Amino acid sequence: MKHTLLSTLMCFVFASTFAQIPTGYYNGTTGLTGATLKTKLKDIISAGHQDHGYGGLWTGYQTTDRDTTYENDGTILDIYSENPNGPDPYNFTYGTNQCGSYSAEGNCYNREHIVPQSLFNEAFPMKSDIHFIRATDGKVNGMRSNYPFGKVGTASFTSLNGSKLGNSVSAGYGGTVFEPIDAFKGDVARMIFYFVTRYETQLAGFSTGNMLGGSSFPGLQQWELDQLIAWNTLDPVSQAEINRNNASYTYQGNRNPYIDHPEYVNQIWGTPVVDTQAPTAATNLATNNPTSNSISLSWTAATDNIGVTGYDIYVNGTFYTTASGTTATVSGLNPSTTYNFYIIAKDAAGNTSSQSNTATGTTLAGQPGGGSCGTENFENIPSGGNGYDTRTWTNAGITWTATDGRTDQTISGKAITLRVGNLTSSTVSGGIQSLTLTTALKFGTGPGVLNVEINGVQVGTIPYSSTANATTTTTINNINVSGNVVIKITNPITSTTGARVALDDLSWTCYSSSLGTVETAKEKTFSIYPNPVRNNELFVKGENLSKISKAEIYDLSGKLIDAIANPFKNSNKINLKGLTKGNYILKTDRFTTKFIVE
């Protein structure tokens, strides 16, 4: 369970009592600051250090890396899977779940060097120093690899507790970084501060790994130092760290001084830098690929001294949504209507840029159907962690209500996870012809299906895989309900211990009763997948594909984007060559169909 503020404050008030610091352990540090204090601490924590070897870590974890504070169940306390706010996604039993091989999260735990051992050529005693080597999930440890720690912009991987790998938005570094959840940012910072203190005289001979500094002081590259000082402040010392420090002292004979005295961090390296600088304005905002009810936007990224975290999109002066990248599609618009758009960049400190240039776009005339009517990416769902409750939010003018849902699981980003509940929209105009949804089993067993209802009538089912966290994207075609509709997606299980399924990337296309045949009759023998497309590859399934002589791709304004001769001569896929987000038409001499690029 999460520590209360009172318990955190008490940890500081009674730190010397709880930490069981040996009398006189830090003698000689009074009045010292900067490099002098760092060197004195190096002398203190080097004395008494007993190296028990790399294999000894497994034994050490019996007392150092057990959960005695959160669930207090004696399982391995893994900073890459621990959920401080409730039940963990999985647990490791000491000894039983020791790696071994792994292919997915939850398979086993291994020995994670917070400072990669490749930087010091796997030399001892660094390789076996328990103060910065944690018992962590093998899969997540492998994903973290040798990357430094920093603030992630766009995540390419997210663990089940929210730890992320992705591009850095930490000031001064633009490479790939790994970001632990907030509850363990300070833990990571203090372990690295321990390393550059304990081994300060050897740093000049280590590789930097884009994190170490190559000299005894300050010991870290400036960007990493700034980030870790900030994390040290953001996440104060916890009782779990204190317990681990005590156990590590018993096992190894030395202590981490930055857990015993977190004030040493600022005394040595200074106070954290306060970010007051606003991002620059994004530029070259442009509209493209209009439909009858949507317009796509693209722009050139803003810059920031720390890092841009998102872009607020405004439509006719009213806030619409926040995007993390440099493209977005605004949906729910009216046909034959001109709209003005601008965006404002923001950073993690809440600083905002001036507005971008204003871009104007006009939607197409109303179509009888088939165009994109709406999307829901669940980025606006409220926080609430792993508890199952009723969640309500609004996005693009549509209010969504999820019953018995949790908000802490992810697919491509935020997702809503249903237990014995449903997801229901407010009334949506424009009708519905097809619906697309991505699912992933998060807890319990599968496979199974979710029921889809339109205006209270079941129109189909959406499957989910039996493999935990495996995503499945499904489109239900030919729903063909015109007018105003209410979308409802239900997990039909009756047991709270049954399958709990995450939903993401919901979209649907328009329909009216006057709709003509959008796809040719021959299309019934052909199908496309995935739809929506996310990796620039569109696959076609059907008979005699090799006999199709030509394929053409149009946007919904009728503009020819690409023409391909003998498209399926060697394979059944078409490379979309980096099409921007939006709706398109694939036309061949055998069939015509629409698809979405996200």
Side-chain angles (χ1 to χ4, degrees):
M1 297 299 294
K2 187 176 184 179
H3 293 297
T4 64
L5 176 61
L6 177 61
S7 66
T8 300
L9 292 174
M10 291 178 64
C11 287
F12 283 106
V13 172
F14 301 108
S16 61
T17 300
F18 287 148
Q20 302 172 2
I21 305 170
T23 302
Y25 191 80
Y26 292 106
N27 282 353
T29 59
T30 302
L32 301 182
T33 59
T36 304
L37 174 56
K38 181 171 178 285
T39 297
K40 180 60 179 178
L41 292 176
K42 182 267 299 182
D43 294 339
I44 292 171
I45 64 178
S46 297
H49 182 171
Q50 304 165 21
D51 182 4
H52 293 290
Y54 191 45
L57 291 169
W58 297 122
T59 302
Y61 292 154
Q62 182 173 5
T63 55
T64 63
D65 286 48
R66 304 285 283 276
D67 187 346
T68 59
T69 51
Y70 294 101
E71 285 75 27
N72 191 24
D73 57 6
T75 61
I76 293 295
L77 178 52
D78 168 20
I79 63 175
Y80 295 160
S81 65
E82 173 64 42
N83 176 11
N85 301 309
D88 301 335
Y90 52 85
N91 292 115
F92 294 127
T93 299
Y94 172 77
T96 302
N97 300 126
Q98 178 179 312
C99 288
S101 60
Y102 56 84
S103 60
E105 287 187 64
N107 286 164
C108 60
Y109 68 92
N110 64 5
R111 297 163 290 190
E112 160 78 314
H113 290 75
I114 298 299
V115 177
Q117 56 181 318
S118 60
L119 303 189
F120 47 80
N121 200 29
E122 302 185 26
F124 292 93
M126 289 76 69
K127 182 176 179 176
S128 51
D129 189 334
I130 205 165
H131 277 295
F132 75 96
I133 307 173
R134 297 295 298 256
T136 66
D137 180 274
K139 173 65 174 180
V140 185
N141 181 4
M143 295 302 297
R144 184 253 162 157
S145 186
N146 293 342
Y147 295 113
F149 288 90
K151 184 71 175 176
V152 168
T154 301
S156 59
F157 167 79
T158 303
S159 79
L160 293 180
N161 84 333
S163 302
K164 296 181 288 188
L165 178 73
N167 67 295
S168 170
V169 292
S170 295
Y173 185 68
T176 300
V177 294
F178 191 88
E179 179 182 355
I181 62 173
D182 289 349
F184 299 114
K185 284 183 166 70
D187 304 52
V188 167
R190 289 179 281 273
M191 284 187 280
I192 296 175
F193 288 144
Y194 164 87
F195 181 91
V196 298
T197 300
R198 170 65 180 86
Y199 302 108
E200 70 168 19
T201 59
Q202 296 157 265
L203 291 177
F206 295 166
S207 300
T208 68
N210 295 309
M211 61 187 297
L212 301 181
S215 62
S216 61
F217 191 83
L220 290 161
Q221 295 192 11
Q222 191 62 48
W223 79 270
E224 182 76 294
L225 177 60
D226 292 342
Q227 184 63 80
L228 296 181
I229 292 174
W231 284 359
N232 178 68
T233 302
L234 168 72
D235 174 32
V237 172
S238 67
Q239 187 62 48
E241 281 184 273
I242 294 172
N243 294 349
R244 189 178 195 277
N245 198 24
N246 291 334
S248 297
Y249 175 68
T250 300
Y251 168 79
Q252 189 169 282
N254 67 341
R255 305 183 68 84
N256 184 334
Y258 305 106
I259 296 175
D260 290 336
H261 291 282
E263 70 276 10
Y264 284 164
V265 173
N266 292 343
Q267 290 175 14
I268 293 172
W269 288 287
T271 57
V273 177
V274 178
D275 180 16
T276 59
Q277 182 174 324
T280 64
T283 56
N284 301 318
L285 176 64
T287 61
N288 51 73
N289 201 28
T291 72
S292 62
N293 49 42
S294 68
I295 294 177
S296 295
L297 305 176
S298 61
W299 59 90
T300 300
T303 60
D304 185 67
N305 64 317
I306 302 297
V308 175
T309 58
Y311 298 88
D312 290 342
I313 299 173
Y314 289 81
V315 182
N316 289 344
T318 301
F319 173 76
Y320 173 75
T321 191
T322 299
S324 59
T326 56
T327 61
T329 297
V330 178
S331 58
L333 306 179
N334 296 318
S336 302
T337 304
T338 299
Y339 292 89
N340 295 316
F341 306 89
Y342 66 83
I343 58 177
I344 293 177
K346 58 185 180 181
D347 63 20
N351 302 310
T352 57
S353 73
S354 56
Q355 72 181 54
S356 69
N357 62 294
T358 298
T360 300
T362 302
T363 53
L364 303 180
Q367 298 173 339
S372 173
C373 262
T375 61
E376 174 54 40
N377 61 9
F378 300 93
E379 293 304 309
N380 283 359
I381 59 175
S383 59
N386 65 329
Y388 291 93
D389 205 344
T390 298
R391 317 289 182 180
T392 302
W393 68 96
T394 300
N395 183 28
I398 302 173
T399 298
W400 297 91
T401 301
T403 62
D404 204 36
R406 61 190 286 173
T407 65
D408 61 328
Q409 302 300 302
T410 61
I411 297 182
S412 60
K414 285 185 177 180
I416 189 72
T417 301
L418 299 181
R419 187 172 57 177
V420 185
N422 60 72
L423 172 70
T424 306
S425 73
S426 58
T427 300
V428 178
S429 61
I432 181 169
Q433 181 185 34
S434 65
L435 179 144
T436 300
L437 180 67
T438 297
T439 59
L441 177 67
K442 292 297 181 177
F443 308 99
T445 57
V449 297
L450 306 176
N451 295 334
V452 178
E453 297 178 18
I454 303 298
N455 294 341
V457 177
Q458 185 168 330
V459 296
T461 59
I462 299 287
Y464 53 87
S465 171
S466 61
T467 303
N469 297 306
T471 59
T472 303
T473 299
T474 304
T475 298
I476 301 175
N477 290 306
N478 299 316
I479 298 174
N480 300 346
V481 176
S482 60
N484 293 334
V485 298
V486 173
I487 302 169
K488 183 177 182 180
I489 301 168
T490 302
N491 188 351
I493 66 169
T494 58
S495 171
T496 57
T497 60
R500 283 140 284 174
V501 185
L503 286 61
D504 198 1
D505 295 332
L506 170 64
S507 64
W508 61 96
T509 59
C510 305
Y511 180 82
S512 75
S513 57
S514 59
L515 175 63
T517 302
V518 175
E519 292 83 11
T520 62
K522 291 183 178 180
E523 187 183 350
K524 293 180 179 179
T525 60
F526 295 88
S527 61
I528 61 171
Y529 64 95
N531 192 13
V533 180
R534 295 187 179 86
N535 62 357
N536 293 319
E537 291 184 339
L538 179 67
F539 292 83
V540 176
K541 181 179 180 180
E543 299 177 358
N544 299 318
L545 289 177
S546 61
K547 294 183 179 180
I548 294 177
S549 61
K550 186 178 183 180
E552 296 173 324
I553 297 174
Y554 296 85
D555 67 20
L556 293 191
S557 69
K559 178 183 177 182
L560 177 63
I561 303 299
D562 194 15
I564 310 164
N566 300 313
F568 308 115
K569 182 178 180 180
N570 298 314
S571 72
N572 69 327
K573 70 179 179 181
I574 293 178
N575 189 324
L576 300 180
K577 301 177 181 178
L579 286 183
T580 59
K581 294 174 65 175
N583 299 273
Y584 297 88
I585 298 171
L586 172 63
K587 181 180 180 182
T588 75
D589 50 4
R590 303 287 299 279
F591 67 92
T592 300
T593 188
K594 289 185 174 69
F595 64 93
I596 301 170
V597 174
E598 291 193 345

